[in-house]
Amino acid sequence: MWLFNSSIGRKVVMSVTGIALILFLTFHCCMNLVALFSGKAYNTICELLGANWYAVLATMGLAFLAVVHIVYAFILTAQNRKARGDNRYEVATTVNAGKVEWASKNMLVLGIIILLGLLLHLFNFWYNMMFAELLPSIHYDAAPADGFGKIITTFSNPIYVVLYVIWIVAIWFHLTHGFWSALHTLGWSGKTWECRIKMIGLIYVTLLMLGFLVVVLAFAFGCAPALCCSAACCA
């Protein structure tokens, strides 16, 4: 099938899976922003998205999309390197090199950073929340549905804060190129729309990543409104 056997087909698969993952990040960001204002509301969402059939099915679907996207990224990178051969470094020094975005030339490195950050994030949250509900007999360091408490604990650690900031910046670089590249592959091309899509992608991805960054820093410095409400309730 051309989607799997041809270079163009693989790029289409990369584009579709990438867009699906961006949509998930949008939902995830909106969910995280709730934690800024209400720990109770955030935990209600965590409970709704706990270990039930639709949440498990959605998790499996996301895992499949992520694996396909990552595998195809490595395949396409290997193909590009093989096709360029010894001239791949020469290409970067040509007259048009200035037009090539830094992110587009370092997508593999950015992808590896994002993958490592994803594994850390899965351990910090998914393992101690949804997985804890699936296997309740195993001891975990927090109540499965207490996502708000998990956020507080995680971002009270400066090392995690730094790692998450690096992760978010890497995702920003990756998506600013990936957003435009995906739509370009799917046919949104042309001089007029190319500039518009790049600008739309830059604004959208920047706002999206700022949402994640605000949550990390607000809890790291203890200035999230929800923390003030919690302290007032406990006083």
Side-chain angles (χ1 to χ4, degrees):
M1 188 176 179
W2 72 275
L3 282 175
F4 306 101
N5 298 328
S6 69
S7 177
I8 295 176
R10 294 189 183 100
K11 288 181 179 179
V12 170
V13 173
M14 279 279 292
S15 300
V16 173
T17 54
I19 291 172
L21 291 172
I22 289 175
L23 292 175
F24 166 72
L25 284 176
T26 303
F27 164 77
H28 197 2
C29 181
C30 293
M31 175 181 169
N32 284 5
L33 290 174
V34 172
L36 284 176
F37 304 99
S38 174
K40 183 178 180 181
Y42 182 78
N43 281 346
T44 299
I45 298 174
C46 291
E47 188 175 357
L48 179 66
L49 299 177
N52 45 63
W53 68 269
Y54 53 84
V56 173
L57 188 63
T59 301
M60 293 174 63
L62 284 169
F64 174 76
L65 290 173
V67 169
V68 170
H69 192 79
I70 292 168
V71 169
Y72 271 54
F74 277 102
I75 292 174
L76 287 171
T77 300
Q79 285 182 336
N80 290 337
R81 286 180 176 273
K82 183 177 180 180
R84 292 175 183 175
D86 296 332
N87 295 323
R88 62 177 180 269
Y89 299 107
E90 183 179 342
V91 172
T93 62
T94 61
V95 177
N96 294 325
K99 298 181 181 179
V100 180
E101 299 175 3
W102 179 87
S104 68
K105 295 186 292 184
N106 296 277
M107 290 295 274
L108 182 61
V109 175
L110 291 170
I112 292 173
I113 295 173
I114 292 169
L115 177 59
L116 293 174
L118 177 61
L119 293 175
L120 175 65
H121 186 63
L122 288 174
F123 172 76
N124 281 336
F125 290 93
W126 182 80
Y127 174 76
N128 284 292
M129 293 174 68
M130 182 181 288
F131 197 79
E133 290 189 63
L134 293 173
L135 294 175
S137 59
I138 300 178
H139 176 70
Y140 301 91
D141 59 1
D146 187 17
F148 186 72
K150 202 73 184 79
I151 291 177
I152 296 174
T153 302
T154 300
F155 298 129
S156 63
N157 187 330
I159 296 176
Y160 280 143
V161 172
V162 172
L163 291 177
Y164 270 85
V165 170
I166 293 172
W167 186 38
I168 291 169
V169 171
I171 296 175
W172 182 84
F173 275 110
H174 189 81
L175 292 187
T176 49
H177 173 74
F179 185 98
W180 165 80
S181 180
L183 294 181
H184 179 77
T185 299
L186 296 176
W188 287 66
S189 56
K191 292 184 178 179
T192 302
W193 274 104
E194 180 176 334
C195 295
R196 291 176 180 174
I197 290 173
K198 282 186 176 181
M199 182 57 63
I200 292 171
L202 179 62
I203 294 172
Y204 185 84
V205 170
T206 299
L207 291 175
L208 184 62
M209 292 301 105
L210 279 176
F212 285 108
L213 187 61
V214 165
V215 173
V216 172
L217 297 181
F219 279 92
F221 292 100
C223 56
L227 292 175
C228 298
C229 294
S230 299
C233 293
C234 295

